Each structure stands twice: as C-alpha cells, then as structure tokens.
Amino acid sequence: MAALNPGKPTEPRSKRLSIQVVTWNVASAAPPLDLSDLLQLNKDNLNLDMYVIGLQEMNCGIMSLLSDTAFEDPWSSFFMDVLSPLSFVKGNKGGVNICMKLYGYYISIINCHLPPHMANNDQRLEHFDRILEMQNFEEQDIPNILDHDLILWFGDMNFRIEDFGLHFVRESIKNRCYSDLWEKDQLSIAKRHDPLLRQFQEGPLLFPPTYKFDKNSNNYDTSEKKRKPAWTDRILWRLKRQPQANPNQRLPVPHFCLSLRSYVSHMMYCISDHKPVTSTFDLELKPLVSVPPITLMPEGLWTMENDMLISYSLTPDFLSSPWDWIGLYKVGLRHINDYVSYVWVGDNQVSFSNGLIQVYFNTRDIPETEDQFLLCYYSNNLHSVVGISKPFKIQPSSFLAEDPLSEAQPHI
C-alpha cells in the first residue's frame, strides 16, 4: 500500500445520490392500495437514496383537521408505512419550503399550488415570484434561497395551453404529437421571457397532459365544462451558477451537478382528476464537509438491566445547547418524536476529556425486543438531527449470565 503524502491533502471522494421527486394533486381522495409504480418499488434493483413527495388538495375538511391533530393525515401515514421499512425517514408533510444542508451544500425543496384557470396566468407568475421573496429563514447563517446550491420546485402549477382549441389539443394527445402543444404551454412561454423563471430547468414533456381527467378513468374531462387538457403538474430545478475555475487557484472548484434520469407521468392512478408526475435525479457532489457535526458511539454491551454510557464527539465549530438531547429509536423510525427513550445531554453528562463527552442512558424501562436500535443527537439550535449512530441491539437481562466471557462490545 502506498504511503500517504502528509504535505498533500487528499480530496474528498465524489458522492452520487439518487432522488425521486413526486408531485400529485390528489383532489381530496384517499390513498390507493398500491403505490409501487409511483415509488419504483416494483423494480428489482431499487437504486434510490431519497424520496421528495409533495401533495396538493389533501382533504382539509374540519373532521380531517381534527383527526390530523390527533393522529396523522392518511396520505402521510400511508407513505410512512410504505417507506419506513426501507429506511427512508420522514421530513415534513405540508410545508411550502424545506431547507436542508447536504454535505455542506444548501438545498431548498418547494411544493406549490398556484392559482387555477386559463386567464390567471399573470397571477401564477406573480405567486411564483412572491414565494421566492417570502422564503426568509430564522437562522442567520442560512443564505437567501436564490443562493442555495439547488432548488427543487414542483407542484400543481396550473399552467395551461393557450390559443389551441379543445379538438386540436385532444387530437394532438391522441396522436402523441406533444411537441405541437409545447409552444403554447404557458410555463414554456414564461420561461422564454421571465429572467428568473428562465433559470429553472425542466425535463421534456414526453408524457400526456396530466389534467383534467374524469375520476376513476383515463378519459379527459367529459363534464359540461370540458376543460382543455394541460400540463399543470410540473417538476423544475435550479442549480446555483458555479464560479469559473481560476487558473491560479490551487483548490478545485466544488463539484455539484444534477442530471435528470426520468420525467414521467403515471397514468395507472385514477383516484384524482390529476395524474401524478415523478422525476428521478442523480446528484453528484464532492462533500464540502468530511465529518458530521456529532459522532455518536454506544459504549460497551447494552443490556436491559444497567444504565449504559454513550460517548460522542463534536466538531469545534458546533454550538451545543442545554436543550440538546439524544434519543433511542428503533431502526425504521418515521418521525423525530418516535423515540423509545431519550436523555438531556446537559443533565446526564458524566465526563469530558480529549474532545470526547460521555452521558448516561437508562435502559431499564425499555421493553425487551429483538429489534435493532440507533441513537440520534437532536440539536435545539439547528432544530434537526445532526448525528446518528450505527444500529445495535440491546441484549436481554439474562444475556450476561449465559455468556459471561463475551467481549464487552456493542452488538452491531
């Protein structure tokens, strides 16, 4: 093995992440029984690292609001039931914007529902600009949304097809001549003239318009109104412009690029007057940070009968809070509040030396189970999880008596 040159820092290896974006106006309908096609779960080799799911027109009646307060809306619950066994973790279920930091890069995820009807195109463009202007973040170190490295913007944008009559549009769809309709698509027209919207990219519209269908069918609107079909459901993205490499610059320009793998609609779902649309992206990046803010390490062999130790280290620039806590979770958690138990790190700290902090964790009230567990460190300042341990098992009380000579190591 060749020796490393200490005078030449090694560059971080590129990472490749696959992201599935879903947008669907569900028109107040309940979830269907099977979403395998929508989530690509029917594929033999599921090559996905992240799901981003945005829904519009979820049932907002008074009974639904009351049930959501006590439980969860059925759509969020359904997606979590399907995805949590695959180790996908819930992020947020209805916000306009989610901001996250990924390996040092800022990413914004925006789910929108813009004003409807053909004549309201100016309102749609106005709302588009207003959504960007209103995205102010409380944390001072988060940059303006337009300075984020990536914006994923999707939803029922309600852009329509101008000028062409209903018969021409339907005949073009029937003959799969979608390109005949692109020039009159309101979003495509706006992208040619609006400087801000022009910065957003979109895949080719090679699928039929996704609105408006008779419910429980693949027939376009046969009601008295006979609304003209349109691509109302869209997925856009915007990459921050990368600075050009300086020939005199020693360090490489950070590498961050997004490529579109697919952009499709899913005609098999008929519960709504809209068809769902998905995009699959490959995100390739060189990490700007090489270590997580918090590194968690369960110490020794965890059993049900003793208080156990957790060791963790933090980076020098991480600002801890007295309200930070560490939660114990079963693998496959759906929400940050799904902890089995937790400790306040400030109240349970027992030692600090050489950058390593130790806290006690009480396991005696945890029910015995064969499930695997993991630890998550929650930062009150960042309002998010900043450290996750490797999975491990908590042994039953009789384990030590049966095997007293076993090595005192976590069962990972």
Side-chain angles (χ1 to χ4, degrees):
M1 180 181 294
L4 292 175
N5 184 357
K8 184 178 181 180
T10 58
E11 293 185 15
R13 292 183 178 179
S14 294
K15 289 188 174 291
R16 189 184 185 93
L17 303 174
S18 296
I19 304 171
Q20 173 90 343
V21 179
V22 178
T23 181
W24 194 1
N25 183 325
V26 297
S28 301
L33 296 176
D34 187 4
L35 288 172
S36 298
D37 184 72
L38 190 71
L39 302 175
Q40 296 191 35
L41 301 180
N42 51 4
K43 293 190 175 181
D44 294 334
N45 298 317
L46 182 64
N47 182 24
L48 288 173
D49 300 292
M50 183 187 304
Y51 283 99
V52 178
I53 301 172
L55 306 176
Q56 303 87 41
E57 288 193 20
M58 295 168 63
N59 194 341
C60 294
I62 184 63
M63 293 306 297
S64 178
L65 291 175
L66 291 174
S67 65
D68 288 354
T69 302
F71 309 101
E72 255 189 349
D73 69 86
W75 279 95
S76 295
S77 181
F78 186 90
F79 277 118
M80 290 309 105
D81 288 340
V82 173
L83 295 179
S84 60
L86 302 176
S87 300
F88 290 99
V89 181
K90 180 177 179 179
N92 190 297
K93 69 168 186 176
V96 174
N97 185 10
I98 299 173
C99 171
M100 65 180 179
K101 201 171 184 179
L102 184 66
Y103 294 105
Y105 296 92
Y106 283 98
I107 296 176
S108 267
I109 299 169
I110 301 176
N111 174 23
C112 74
H113 192 178
L114 301 183
H117 306 307
M118 177 74 72
N120 291 332
N121 191 43
D122 290 342
Q123 289 187 27
R124 285 188 279 275
L125 297 176
E126 180 184 345
H127 282 215
F128 192 94
D129 292 339
R130 190 185 304 169
I131 289 172
L132 286 175
E133 294 171 359
M134 294 178 64
Q135 299 309 309
N136 298 317
F137 302 99
E138 295 179 0
E139 287 74 12
Q140 296 181 355
D141 60 337
I142 298 181
N144 180 278
I145 187 172
L146 291 176
D147 291 324
H148 286 194
D149 299 282
L150 172 63
I151 300 174
L152 290 171
W153 193 322
F154 52 88
D156 180 0
M157 299 189 179
N158 260 318
F159 289 105
R160 307 305 171 96
I161 296 174
E162 294 182 347
D163 298 339
F164 293 141
L166 175 63
H167 178 73
F168 179 83
V169 172
R170 289 194 172 183
E171 283 298 308
S172 298
I173 297 171
K174 180 180 178 180
N175 297 321
R176 298 187 179 182
C177 298
Y178 307 131
S179 59
D180 292 343
L181 307 177
W182 293 344
E183 62 177 285
K184 295 299 182 179
D185 170 67
Q186 289 179 335
L187 178 55
S188 301
I189 295 172
K191 281 173 58 64
R192 293 196 291 266
H193 299 94
D194 187 286
L196 181 57
L197 198 51
R198 192 184 302 144
Q199 299 176 22
F200 285 84
Q201 301 180 60
E202 183 183 16
L205 298 172
L206 301 178
F207 50 87
T210 55
Y211 174 85
K212 171 179 173 59
F213 289 87
D214 294 336
K215 290 187 179 180
N216 302 313
S217 79
N218 283 327
N219 300 320
Y220 285 104
D221 188 13
T222 59
S223 69
E224 292 182 0
K225 293 184 178 180
K226 287 187 170 56
R227 293 179 180 87
K228 190 164 54 174
W231 286 288
T232 57
D233 310 279
R234 313 290 277 267
I235 299 174
L236 311 178
W237 74 93
R238 176 187 181 271
L239 284 170
K240 182 182 176 182
R241 294 181 179 178
Q242 297 284 350
Q244 296 297 319
N246 187 338
N248 299 322
Q249 189 178 11
R250 293 184 179 179
L251 295 176
V253 176
H255 180 66
F256 187 91
C257 64
L258 189 76
S259 57
L260 179 66
R261 198 195 307 172
S262 71
Y263 187 32
V264 297
S265 65
H266 299 261
M267 296 292 290
M268 64 182 295
Y269 297 106
C270 301
I271 62 170
S272 169
D273 54 354
H274 291 252
K275 299 298 182 182
V277 175
T278 62
S279 284
T280 306
F281 296 98
D282 289 322
L283 176 61
E284 191 170 352
L285 56 86
K286 284 187 178 179
L288 298 179
V289 292
S290 56
V291 294
I294 296 288
T295 302
L296 284 165
M297 296 157 285
E299 292 289 336
L301 180 67
W302 280 52
T303 65
M304 295 292 183
E305 61 182 9
N306 297 313
D307 288 343
M308 303 305 295
L309 283 176
I310 302 171
S311 295
Y312 70 90
S313 61
L314 45 85
T315 55
D317 58 343
F318 178 76
L319 183 62
S320 61
S321 163
W323 299 105
D324 291 355
W325 50 276
I326 297 175
L328 178 70
Y329 296 86
K330 292 182 180 179
V331 172
L333 72 154
R334 302 182 355 161
H335 192 275
I336 187 63
N337 293 331
D338 290 346
Y339 52 79
V340 177
S341 184
Y342 71 92
V343 294
W344 299 101
V345 294
D347 294 342
N348 293 272
Q349 181 175 326
V350 294
S351 67
F352 177 84
S353 62
N354 298 324
L356 197 65
I357 305 171
Q358 288 188 322
V359 297
Y360 265 126
F361 204 107
N362 185 352
T363 61
R364 280 175 283 186
D365 296 329
I366 299 172
E368 295 192 8
T369 175
E370 292 296 320
D371 293 322
Q372 285 192 314
F373 294 85
L374 53 80
L375 298 166
C376 295
Y377 187 106
Y378 185 86
S379 167
N380 185 68
N381 289 330
L382 299 177
H383 306 294
S384 65
V385 172
V386 294
I388 301 177
S389 74
K390 293 181 178 180
F392 60 92
K393 283 191 175 182
I394 300 178
Q395 300 297 338
S397 304
S398 60
F399 180 82
L400 290 179
E402 295 174 358
D403 192 9
L405 300 179
S406 65
E407 295 183 5
Q409 295 293 331
H411 187 83
I412 297 178

